[in-house]
Amino acid sequence: MTRRTWFEPMPHGTLVTVGTSVAPRIRSPWTDTVDLGAQVRAASTALRSPRAMRRVLPAVRAHLGSAPASTAYAFTLFVTWWTLRGVGAAVERRLILSASTNLHNMRQNPVQVLVASAFWTEGGFPWITIAGFLTVMAAAERWLGTARWIMLFATGHIGATVLTVTGISQAIDRGIIPVRVAMAADVGTSYGFTAVLAAMAFRFLGPVRWMWAVAIVVAVVVALWVDPTFTDYGHLCAAVIGLLVGGLASAFWRRVERMRAPGEGESGGAETSGEEAN
């Protein structure tokens, strides 16, 4: 911990420490854990307050305002869905395929499709996805901060995609799956979403952390077991990535904070030294 001390000469040659400034401690959000039960009880108490309805809109505004990336992402998903609704079925299919992170596109334009695929969705209006970004992902962004949230989401999206495509390539070479899978449509936010969701286990204290992590892993494993697809395999990879990133980051920053702890009790003060001049 960096300390800067300055001195001012006093009458009769006495040297006095005027002040000491201690560099502010930087705490990582990975060590900022909460008791989920206490949070739920506090929210329940707030909702029973006589002025609860007046506080809802400011609370929502503050929630979304402190999660700009998640909010912007949700709006972008709405825009891309609206764009697809305005074109014909054939054009929509071409757009989806051109943005898909399938084996063919990943060999031709990997960077382009890795970015584009995260902003398109198939099917009807993505109610659940947009709601998930405005609630769960926004909460994760408020916890981690925008930059860390983006990095974690991108790591899950890119990492799970690369692992999935690698698995598809090996499976096609061995004749386990048909060659047409190399041209399959594969767009969406689910890999990044799953990675962040898994990493959120480290936001909580005690048994809730383990229950959260186990629930995520069980959900993706069951989906892979019941009706296995390469997307389910990708979700499993994303969950593992999220848990690894969360576990490593939490352990690293806790170690850093333990190493800094012995110096936290030091504070500035007046210290007199020297001797009277004759």
Side-chain angles (χ1 to χ4, degrees):
M1 189 175 296
T2 304
R3 303 174 73 243
R4 297 187 301 277
T5 305
W6 59 94
F7 301 92
E8 179 180 336
M10 298 296 287
H12 308 294
T14 304
L15 193 63
V16 176
T17 303
V18 174
T20 302
S21 69
V22 180
R25 177 188 177 191
I26 300 176
R27 184 173 183 180
S28 170
W30 289 107
T31 62
D32 182 16
T33 54
V34 298
D35 183 340
L36 184 59
Q39 295 286 310
V40 172
R41 288 191 294 272
S44 177
T45 301
L47 289 174
R48 290 197 299 267
S49 171
R51 298 183 178 180
M53 295 307 297
R54 297 181 182 179
R55 298 172 181 172
V56 170
L57 185 57
V60 171
R61 186 163 53 243
H63 174 75
L64 298 180
S66 57
S70 300
T71 305
Y73 206 134
F75 179 73
T76 303
L77 292 175
F78 170 77
V79 171
T80 54
W81 170 83
W82 187 267
T83 300
L84 290 179
R85 301 290 76 76
V87 299
V91 176
E92 176 182 348
R93 184 65 178 171
R94 285 199 298 272
L95 287 173
I96 293 296
L97 286 175
S98 66
S100 293
T101 50
N102 54 41
L103 181 59
H104 173 76
N105 287 346
M106 286 291 288
R107 286 175 172 173
Q108 300 296 322
N109 301 295
V111 177
Q112 176 182 327
V113 295
L114 278 171
V115 175
S117 64
F119 296 96
W120 294 91
T121 58
E122 287 188 281
F125 186 76
W127 289 102
I128 296 177
T129 302
I130 290 178
F133 271 92
L134 295 179
T135 54
V136 180
M137 291 296 102
E141 185 181 351
R142 295 184 66 183
W143 165 45
L144 292 173
T146 299
R148 291 185 187 87
W149 180 85
I150 292 173
M151 291 178 64
L152 176 58
F153 189 95
T155 299
H157 175 70
I158 295 171
T161 298
V162 171
L163 290 173
T164 301
V165 170
T166 302
I168 290 174
S169 177
Q170 296 295 322
I172 290 177
D173 291 342
R174 288 170 171 74
I176 300 174
I177 58 177
V179 179
R180 68 174 181 273
V181 176
M183 298 290 292
D186 185 19
V187 295
T189 65
S190 60
Y191 293 166
F193 195 106
T194 301
V196 175
L197 194 63
M200 286 185 71
F202 296 91
R203 172 61 166 156
F204 308 113
L205 291 170
V208 175
R209 173 179 299 183
W210 298 105
M211 292 170 61
W212 186 286
V214 169
I216 296 296
V217 173
V218 168
V220 295
V221 169
V222 168
L224 188 61
W225 179 266
V226 173
D227 186 20
T229 65
F230 66 85
T231 302
D232 295 322
Y233 173 75
H235 290 154
L236 177 60
C237 293
V240 172
I241 289 171
L243 291 174
L244 284 175
V245 171
L248 292 173
S250 296
F252 172 77
W253 282 107
R254 289 188 186 283
R255 181 176 178 83
V256 169
E257 291 188 2
R258 282 197 299 268
M259 293 173 64
R260 290 175 175 172
E264 290 178 6
E266 298 180 3
S267 60
E271 298 175 356
T272 304
S273 63
E275 58 182 24
E276 293 283 341
N278 294 326

